[in-house]
Amino acid sequence: CELGKGAFVNHECIDDFDLVVIGDRSVVSGFVNPADVSVGVLSLTPITIGSDCSLADDCLVEMGCVVEDEVHVHPRTLVTKGVTLASRSSWHGKPAQESVRPQLDFELGVVVDDSAVDFVERSQHMNVTSSNSPAGTEKSNVKISFAMTQYLTLFVVSPYMSALEFTVAYLTGKAIYDSFGWIGLSALVWIPTTASMLLASLVTVFSKKALLGVVKPGMWPLFGSFHRRKYVVDHLVEAHLLVWNDIATATGSPFAWGVSPVVHHFLWNVLGGEVGRNTVLPGQMPWTGYDLVNIGDFNLWGGGSTCLPWSIEKDYLVARSIRTDNNCYIG
């Protein structure tokens, strides 16, 4: 993949990297697919994405498309084969249709972060956005700060956290072995993994409360302070809490949320979400929805269902709340 300077890409959403070109400072969160199979024939056509573009979550850009500079593609938009999106335009729908203006409208009463308001007010007074302009320099500095947050999280915070978790598991297992021997440890191997899962849960919940507080619908500058804090908490959830839950489930722990719906709902609630009584949720429901997800009583969510309260639109991280009433079935 030919990746421009300062570009941000969700690598899981791109097939055939050699056929994709992405310009400077573009954000690609949607799916980019330069391949197509029709009547048993595989076709490959390059896709070009210009500079300062934003492809939001769950949009799909098909083979042969050209996305010119400063284009915004809204969530769940389908850009069909061979289409060219003109520069400084916004697109939505299936198939993609040009929007009159960027659709970043929110319902009356939605809370917008103060930093986002300040960001918008300052950007309205800037007529240039090149990398040498104040706005371009500010964006570059913000992305550097985000990259540093990623580095510190992945190579400092996460390794120390993992070392602490494995130490707790080792000491707990050693205590069981000293008391009951190998037979006892074999029968009670779920206790060390549960202890580490409990530690990961406590650290994750505390970090969420301290760094994010109560998450409300709104919009924040991409790579800004809130985005950086959210990245840290998301990593703790996905790389520690969920991983140790899987290990605890594999060792037969009765306290793993994969085994106990009660624990599942409890952890979901302490992370800010709301799950009603006698509700069944699939395993792939995003734990990073936090306070934005409210699910009623007696709900049944099918195995392939999920909810996505977060999206990237233009230069903003956008959060919208999701709520279901009681007695709902989602296939």
Side-chain angles (χ1 to χ4, degrees), residues 4-301:
K5 183 178 179 180
F8 179 84
V9 178
N10 182 352
H11 66 89
E12 296 179 351
C13 296
I14 295 182
D15 296 326
D16 302 298
F17 282 90
D18 294 334
L19 298 174
V20 178
V21 177
I22 300 174
D24 298 340
R25 300 175 301 280
S26 289
V27 177
V28 178
S29 295
F31 294 89
V32 178
N33 185 15
D36 179 67
V37 177
S38 179
V39 197
V41 177
L42 173 64
S43 301
L44 300 172
T45 307
I47 293 176
T48 301
I49 299 172
S51 300
D52 299 300
C53 294
S54 172
L55 276 63
D57 292 345
D58 294 326
C59 70
L60 173 60
V61 178
E62 294 185 338
M63 57 185 291
C65 291
V66 176
V67 181
E68 297 182 352
D69 296 342
E70 299 182 37
V71 171
H72 174 55
V73 180
H74 290 280
R76 292 170 288 281
T77 298
L78 172 61
V79 183
T80 54
K81 303 176 187 177
V83 171
T84 297
L85 306 185
S87 62
R88 297 190 177 185
S89 59
S90 179
W91 299 79
H92 72 282
K94 300 177 183 177
Q97 301 176 11
E98 187 170 2
S99 306
V100 176
R101 58 189 176 88
Q103 297 179 345
L104 277 176
D105 301 327
F106 291 86
E107 296 178 0
L108 187 63
V110 167
V111 176
V112 179
D113 187 83
D114 291 338
S115 60
V117 175
D118 182 60
F119 183 89
V120 172
E121 290 177 347
R122 285 185 283 110
S123 64
Q124 289 175 345
H125 294 85
M126 296 179 179
N127 297 322
V128 290
T129 57
S130 67
S131 59
N132 295 323
S133 68
T137 302
E138 181 176 355
K139 284 185 178 181
S140 178
N141 292 337
V142 168
K143 288 186 178 181
I144 291 174
S145 298
F146 187 83
M148 288 299 299
T149 300
Q150 289 180 306
Y151 178 85
L152 292 173
T153 302
L154 294 174
F155 299 107
V156 179
V157 176
S158 192
Y160 276 103
M161 183 68 183
S162 296
L164 184 59
E165 291 160 350
F166 279 107
T167 299
V168 168
Y170 169 77
L171 293 177
T172 306
K174 186 176 184 300
I176 295 174
Y177 172 76
D178 292 340
S179 300
F180 304 104
W182 283 111
I183 296 178
L185 180 59
S186 299
L188 301 175
V189 68
W190 59 269
I191 294 180
T193 58
T194 301
S196 293
M197 184 190 72
L198 178 61
L199 173 64
S201 301
L202 291 174
V203 172
T204 301
V205 171
F206 175 79
S207 299
K208 188 270 176 182
K209 301 293 184 184
L211 296 178
L212 299 182
V214 177
V215 180
K216 298 181 180 180
M219 52 190 290
W220 299 267
L222 200 61
F223 310 120
S225 173
F226 180 83
H227 194 182
R228 294 195 295 270
R229 288 181 277 125
K230 180 179 180 297
Y231 175 84
V232 175
V233 178
D234 288 353
H235 181 80
L236 291 175
V237 170
E238 295 168 354
H240 293 274
L241 173 60
L242 298 186
V243 168
W244 277 104
N245 169 78
D246 291 342
I247 296 174
T249 301
T251 56
S253 171
F255 299 102
W257 65 259
V259 176
S260 172
V262 175
V263 177
H264 189 177
H265 292 184
F266 175 76
L267 281 176
W268 188 285
N269 290 332
V270 296
L271 283 172
E274 295 186 22
V275 180
R277 296 176 294 111
N278 298 316
T279 289
V280 178
L281 300 177
Q284 70 269 26
M285 283 288 284
W287 287 76
T288 54
Y290 307 124
D291 309 87
L292 299 170
V293 180
N294 184 341
I295 300 174
D297 299 335
F298 302 100
N299 274 225
L300 176 60
W301 288 59

